[in-house]
Amino acid sequence: MNRTASRNARGATATVVTSQKVRPGFDDEYQSWQEKTNRVVQRFDGFEGTELYPPGAGDENEWVVVFRFSHLDQLTAWLDSTTRRELLDEERPLLEEEPTQEVLAGGAPAEEAAVTAVISHEVLPERQEDFERWQEKVLEAQREFPGFMGSEMFRPVQGVQDNWVVAFRFDTREHLDAWLRSGRREKLLEEGRNYFASFDVRKVGSAFSGWFRFEEGTKEGIPPNWKQAMTVVLALYPTVMVLNLTVGFELGKFGVPDFFGLFISNVCSVAILTWLLMPVVTRAFDRWLAPSGPRSLRFHMAGVAVVLLCYGLLLVLFGLTTHD
């Protein structure tokens, strides 16, 4: 039985994670079939990419395939197409059982390497609110484990699927497995069985996990705009000052027009910020920019004070070096 889950409306970016157990000795035939499928799906509107994850140790020859489309409607068109049904008919003799799938609507690309677990839950209709509260407890426990990078819950979408899906990621497979095998999680699962009838776990490799933003405003997401602005200024000010004192000065000596000199300086400053200073600044202020959990006002104000101190030091430094 195919199982699907989703988070947002039909117009949202969508990913489908398909898992299939290949019969022993049919790996080559399956990979040939998958290559054919990959060529076919590229012709469908909204297709963005696909990735194949071979079975890991102890995964019972379970292959995971990820397809990503621009919109949920476009993904649904692929899933419901006659072309895909014909491909599934070709695949069926290669499998031990019917494949399973989870459709995840939403998420944004990222470059972080990580490993993701995708868990599909058949939640009891009368216990959905209890399930959500239970998931909050699970998230609190996950945050205490090494390597945890974030979690996102995908609610059912009427007419598309019934199951709930939770996707969470860790920085390494070892850290993910440590959580999955932990006694803490086992106790939580005992409680959770009061709220769902069944669940399935899928492990997916690093690139897929980067398709999720996870909790915005935390380490798994994006820092608040005001923090981003403060750190950009911290990197931008010395960049502009140094370029004015070096590149700008040298261009002026050769009579380069101001408008063209400003353009060159802007190109240089953007390059320096992108590949040199901003990575350094964001690493230095990582815990303040995106703390791994709730923090007090004092914590955030302490970060502000440090950034302001850095501003002051830069002003003193350039005041002394540029003083006539």
Side-chain angles (χ1 to χ4, degrees):
M1 177 181 66
N2 286 352
R3 291 184 284 272
T4 64
S6 178
R7 181 185 66 175
N8 293 333
R10 289 180 178 272
T13 302
T15 301
V16 60
V17 182
T18 304
S19 175
Q20 43 255 310
K21 291 186 178 180
V22 178
R23 294 181 183 276
F26 284 82
D27 287 359
D28 291 342
E29 291 83 351
Y30 169 75
Q31 290 185 72
S32 297
W33 174 87
Q34 188 62 55
E35 290 172 0
K36 177 182 177 181
T37 301
N38 292 346
R39 291 193 297 270
V40 171
V41 71
Q42 291 176 17
R43 301 197 292 265
F44 279 71
D45 289 342
F47 173 75
E48 293 189 355
T50 182
E51 296 177 30
L52 176 66
Y53 297 93
D59 284 345
E60 300 179 350
N61 215 29
E62 186 172 47
W63 295 69
V64 176
V65 185
V66 176
F67 293 97
R68 188 167 186 247
F69 281 75
S70 300
H71 300 287
L72 184 56
D73 283 344
Q74 293 167 327
L75 172 59
T76 302
W78 156 248
L79 294 177
D80 295 340
S81 66
T82 301
T83 301
R84 180 172 179 270
R85 285 196 293 270
E86 292 173 351
L87 286 167
L88 291 178
D89 289 340
E90 294 180 19
E91 179 196 32
R92 195 160 285 112
L94 308 177
L95 304 181
E96 293 185 349
E97 58 188 50
E98 285 293 308
T100 64
Q101 68 183 34
E102 286 81 32
V103 176
L104 313 178
E111 297 179 355
E112 294 182 65
V115 60
T116 296
V118 179
I119 304 183
S120 176
H121 303 80
E122 183 182 348
V123 179
L124 300 174
E126 68 280 6
R127 306 304 298 271
Q128 292 185 357
E129 292 184 2
D130 295 324
F131 175 78
E132 291 188 72
R133 285 192 289 268
W134 173 76
Q135 276 295 332
E136 292 175 359
K137 294 174 64 176
V138 173
L139 178 58
E140 290 177 3
Q142 287 174 323
R143 284 174 172 153
E144 298 176 8
F145 275 69
F148 177 66
M149 299 180 70
S151 175
E152 189 169 12
M153 183 164 63
F154 297 82
R155 294 174 174 80
V157 171
Q158 187 175 4
V160 178
Q161 49 72 39
D162 297 321
N163 283 9
W164 296 59
V165 168
V166 176
F168 55 85
R169 61 179 176 173
F170 282 77
D171 58 352
T172 66
R173 195 177 187 94
E174 290 74 20
H175 283 152
L176 171 63
D177 289 338
W179 159 252
L180 292 175
R181 297 168 182 167
S182 66
R184 182 80 173 274
R185 178 173 178 267
E186 187 59 39
K187 290 181 180 179
L188 286 165
L189 284 176
E190 291 178 8
E191 177 185 345
R193 289 185 177 94
N194 295 320
Y195 315 132
F196 54 80
S198 63
F199 71 96
D200 292 304
V201 180
R202 303 283 176 264
K203 299 177 187 177
V204 188
S206 61
F208 166 69
S209 61
W211 289 350
F212 295 96
R213 205 172 264 156
F214 296 94
E215 304 157 349
E216 288 195 352
T218 70
K219 190 166 186 176
E220 298 82 64
I222 299 174
N225 288 337
W226 64 273
K227 287 188 177 182
Q228 294 185 58
M230 290 189 71
T231 51
V232 168
V233 170
L234 183 59
L236 180 62
Y237 174 65
T239 302
V240 172
M241 285 297 298
V242 171
L243 287 175
N244 284 340
L245 294 172
T246 55
V247 176
F249 178 77
E250 292 298 322
L251 291 176
K253 290 198 307 183
F254 290 98
V256 176
D258 291 341
F259 72 90
F260 188 68
L262 181 61
F263 172 78
I264 294 176
S265 294
N266 285 341
V267 171
C268 293
S269 65
V270 169
I272 292 171
L273 285 173
T274 302
W275 290 290
L276 180 61
L277 288 187
M278 283 309 299
V280 173
V281 171
T282 53
R283 279 197 300 269
F285 289 88
D286 177 62
R287 291 184 60 192
W288 177 70
L289 283 169
S292 57
R295 298 287 183 170
S296 65
L297 179 61
R298 179 179 297 180
F299 171 85
H300 296 292
M301 291 301 100
V304 171
V306 173
V307 175
L308 292 176
L309 176 61
C310 292
Y311 288 169
L313 293 175
L314 288 172
L315 289 169
V316 171
L317 174 64
F318 287 112
L320 292 173
T321 56
T322 60
H323 184 68
D324 292 332

